[in-house]
């Protein structure tokens, strides 16, 4: 468990950003990952008073505040209306309901875990992140950036009609995934995202031949071995999950 010398409930995003510049400070999301460590922080910065726990929409976009919990996303009528059961499939294996009531989308995206269901899923949609210092950038660009001391305030999902499906394989129901896969379709663009390789998710896109792309994914993606699975098994699974998710994404389009 972590400890802290002082705890500050931020009154503005600017204050949170300033406090977070110190190497020994930390933003507190749900604390679910942080509590596994033993760090002694000088200042813990709580964002819970800043209204960042809302899922909102305008004509073009859906905005997720950084403090929105995984469970809020899973049960959101708004997200389910636009994306069918995509968010449910992406989130339902993550530990359990009590855990998902606590863990936040902000903490999940900032952490950019290789095993992340959330990063895999959101990369398949057209998303930007909003950072207190750097402003708005694409999630794809953010996913490749090194860790820094910025504060993530929002994740923005474009409402452009992209249809998506999510698949994962686990050794047991709530374990970390062996492999994650999200496929999305917008007009003639098909996007494949493969995560938990076990490294961070990678993206492939095609507008011509999805079968050839799935073969390329199997042949060219770098997979690794760990205690959950070998790289050979992951390579084989990638083809299966891409096919399954592609079929589901196409079904979603037919349903519209
Ligand atoms: C036992 C266990 C099993 C898990 N299994 C899965 C799984 O199967 N699939 C999956 O996808 N995920 C899994 N996760 C990860 C989980 O979904 C969350 O991503 C994780 O707990 C982080 O969310 P949090 O809100 O708890 O973040 P915290 O623990 O509060 O924070 C994590 C990091 O992000 C920083 N941070 C938090 N919010 C912000 C912000 N707004 N701006 C800047 N920095 C910020 C914190 O300072 C910290 O460094 C698991 C986690 C645990 C502990």
């Amino acid at each position: 468990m972590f400890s802290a010398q002082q705890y500050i409930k931020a009154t503005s995003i600017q204050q949170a950003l300033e406090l977070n510049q110190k190497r020994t400070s930390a933003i507190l999301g749900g604390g679910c990952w942080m509590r596994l460590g033993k760090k002694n922080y000088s200042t813990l910065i709580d964002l819970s008073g800043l209204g960042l726990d809302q899922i909102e929409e305008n004509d073009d976009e859906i905005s997720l505040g950084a403090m929105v919990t995984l469970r809020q996303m899973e049960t959101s009528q708004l997200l389910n209306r636009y994306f069918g059961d995509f968010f449910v499939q992406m989130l339902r294996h993550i530990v359990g309901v009590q855990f998902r009531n606590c863990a936040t989308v902000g903490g999940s995206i900032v952490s950019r875990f290789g095993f992340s269901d959330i990063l895999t899923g959101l990369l398949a949609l057209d998303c930007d992140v909003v950072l207190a210092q750097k402003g708005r950038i694409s999630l794809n660009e953010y996913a490749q950036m090194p860790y820094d001391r910025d504060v993530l305030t929002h994740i923005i999902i474009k409402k452009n009609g992209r249809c998506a499906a999510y698949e994962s394989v686990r050794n047991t129901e709530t374990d970390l995934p062996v492999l994650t896969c999200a496929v999305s379709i917008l007009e003639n663009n098909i996007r494949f995202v493969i995560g938990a390789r076990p490294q961070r998710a990678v993206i492939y896109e095609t507008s011509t031949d999805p079968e050839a792309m799935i073969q390329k994914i199997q042949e060219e993606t770098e997979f690794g071995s760990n205690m959950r699975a070998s790289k050979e098994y992951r390579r084989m699974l990638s083809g299966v999950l891409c096919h399954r998710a592609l079929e589901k994404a196409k079904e979603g389009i037919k349903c519209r």
Side-chain angles (χ1 to χ4, degrees), residues 200-218:
R200 213 174 271 177
V202 284
I203 302 176
Y204 295 86
E205 288 186 293
T206 180
S207 54
T208 51
D209 185 350
E211 282 305 321
M213 182 51 81
I214 293 174
Q215 195 166 344
K216 180 180 157 91
I217 290 168
Q218 284 196 281

Side-chain angles (χ1 to χ4, degrees), residues 44-244:
L44 269 185
I45 307 147
D46 182 353
L47 304 181
S48 67
L50 302 179
L52 297 176
D53 58 348
Q54 302 296 314
I55 302 178
E56 294 165 315
E57 71 170 328
N58 62 26
D59 287 348
D60 304 319
E61 299 171 334
I62 296 172
S63 156
L64 310 174
M67 293 298 282
V68 164
T69 66
L70 306 189
R71 184 70 176 160
Q72 267 177 282
M73 292 199 287
E74 185 183 359
T75 57
S76 160
Q77 288 183 4
L78 176 60
L79 292 176
N80 292 337
R81 190 166 78 238
Y82 281 104
F83 299 105
D85 72 347
F86 180 74
F87 279 85
V88 173
Q89 296 304 329
M90 173 176 105
L91 297 164
R92 71 192 180 103
H93 296 291
I94 302 178
V95 187
V97 170
Q98 284 177 317
F99 180 91
R100 299 199 293 277
N101 268 324
C102 187
T104 63
V105 66
S108 305
I109 291 300
V110 168
S111 300
R112 287 163 273 180
F113 298 120
F115 60 75
S116 179
D117 291 282
I118 301 140
L119 186 60
T120 303
L122 291 182
L123 281 171
L125 306 179
D126 294 305
C127 292
D128 289 339
V129 295
V130 182
L131 300 156
Q133 197 161 40
K134 284 182 217 59
R136 183 168 167 165
I137 57 174
S138 79
L139 175 61
N140 188 12
E141 184 184 344
Y142 182 65
Q144 291 158 43
M145 280 166 45
Y147 296 110
D148 62 17
R149 308 221 56 85
D150 214 335
V151 178
L152 177 69
T153 64
H154 293 88
I155 291 141
I156 310 289
I157 309 172
K158 291 177 192 151
K159 293 195 307 193
N160 56 5
R162 189 173 277 280
C163 196
Y166 191 84
E167 290 283 328
S168 69
V169 166
R170 290 165 147 84
N171 292 330
T172 59
E173 182 78 5
T174 58
D175 192 14
L176 297 181
V178 165
L179 198 72
T180 58
C181 172
V183 175
S184 66
I185 305 176
L186 177 62
E187 293 160 7
N188 64 352
N189 170 275
I190 305 179
R191 185 182 302 162
F192 296 85
V193 187
I194 311 290
R197 305 173 289 122
Q199 304 93 314
R200 213 174 271 177
V202 284
I203 302 176
Y204 295 86
E205 288 186 293
T206 180
S207 54
T208 51
D209 185 350
E211 282 305 321
M213 182 51 81
I214 293 174
Q215 195 166 344
K216 180 180 157 91
I217 290 168
Q218 284 196 281
E219 285 169 7
E220 294 183 10
T221 305
E222 189 187 329
F223 293 100
S225 302
N226 63 6
M227 63 184 283
R228 290 189 169 75
S230 67
K231 61 182 174 192
E232 292 79 13
Y233 183 54
R234 286 191 163 97
R235 191 174 301 286
M236 189 276 292
L237 275 183
S238 66
V240 177
L241 295 196
C242 283
H243 279 113
R244 279 189 198 160

